[in-house]
Amino acid sequence: MQRQLRTYRTLGRRMPKPQKTVDSYISYALAAAHRKLHTELSQKLKALNVQVETWRVLQSLRASEGITMRELAEVVLMNPPTLTKLVDRMVADGLVQRQLSPEDQRRVQLALTDLGISVSDKIALHVEEQNDRIIEAIGSEKAKLLREALDTLT
């Protein structure tokens, strides 16, 4: 006995009726949560005239002095040409400076300026506030499980 599929018409073609809505997928839920959180943080950082991506660079440089552009691109989730343009703006704004690596003169490392450290401190307040709100909303145990689950995907 052959099972009959329910169908609907789209542009004159018969297609099987989808069984799930897009919002039933985990990947969609992750994307929706990211969009919401990114938009929230972006609004907060706009007052400081800073983009979320700028925060990622500043925070990464605070955590890892002497990081190269290639390493930074991987950490901040940006492709190298886009990161180069962002870093060019950050250098022009006085937030970071480029330095030749003492170990290998062919490598360029990035370092925060005093202004970059100051801006990073201001940004950290907003980022920590958002992080605290997330933990408060889902609880510390679920936050820990979420972090572990996300770490397995990356």
Side-chain angles (χ1 to χ4, degrees):
M1 186 168 155
Q2 195 173 21
R3 188 173 155 207
Q4 191 174 13
L5 291 176
R6 298 171 97 191
T7 60
Y8 65 96
R9 293 199 177 273
T10 303
L11 299 175
R13 293 182 285 161
R14 294 183 68 130
M15 298 178 67
K17 186 175 181 181
Q19 296 180 0
K20 292 183 176 183
T21 60
V22 70
D23 61 353
S24 67
Y25 290 92
I26 292 172
S27 59
Y28 177 85
L30 288 170
H34 171 266
R35 182 177 184 174
K36 179 183 178 193
L37 295 171
H38 189 277
T39 300
E40 274 179 19
L41 186 57
S42 196
Q43 293 296 326
K44 296 275 187 183
L45 298 185
K46 193 179 276 190
L48 298 172
N49 202 26
V50 173
Q51 298 174 324
V52 172
E53 293 76 14
T54 303
W55 161 68
R56 289 183 192 152
V57 171
L58 292 172
Q59 186 63 37
S60 297
L61 293 176
R62 284 201 86 162
S64 304
E65 287 186 29
I67 192 169
T68 65
M69 289 287 285
R70 178 180 292 151
E71 295 163 336
L72 185 61
E74 193 171 312
V75 170
V76 300
L77 310 173
M78 295 178 75
N79 65 45
T82 304
L83 175 62
T84 298
K85 290 176 188 172
L86 175 60
V87 168
D88 287 346
R89 285 193 307 272
M90 293 174 72
V91 168
D93 292 341
L95 300 173
V96 298
Q97 59 187 9
R98 289 183 172 98
Q99 303 170 336
L100 293 177
S101 168
E103 297 87 31
D104 183 350
Q105 296 291 305
R106 297 169 294 176
R107 291 177 58 180
V108 174
Q109 297 175 327
L110 296 172
L112 289 175
T113 63
D114 289 341
L115 177 61
I117 292 169
S118 174
V119 170
S120 178
D121 287 342
K122 292 174 186 171
I123 294 169
L125 297 173
H126 296 292
V127 176
E128 289 295 330
E129 178 186 308
Q130 184 183 56
N131 202 62
D132 291 345
R133 278 196 328 269
I134 293 167
I135 293 170
E136 185 179 313
I138 66 174
S140 60
E141 188 60 34
K142 284 183 181 177
K144 182 181 175 195
L145 290 172
L146 177 61
R147 181 64 210 205
E148 290 171 2
L150 292 172
D151 285 345
T152 63
L153 295 175
T154 57

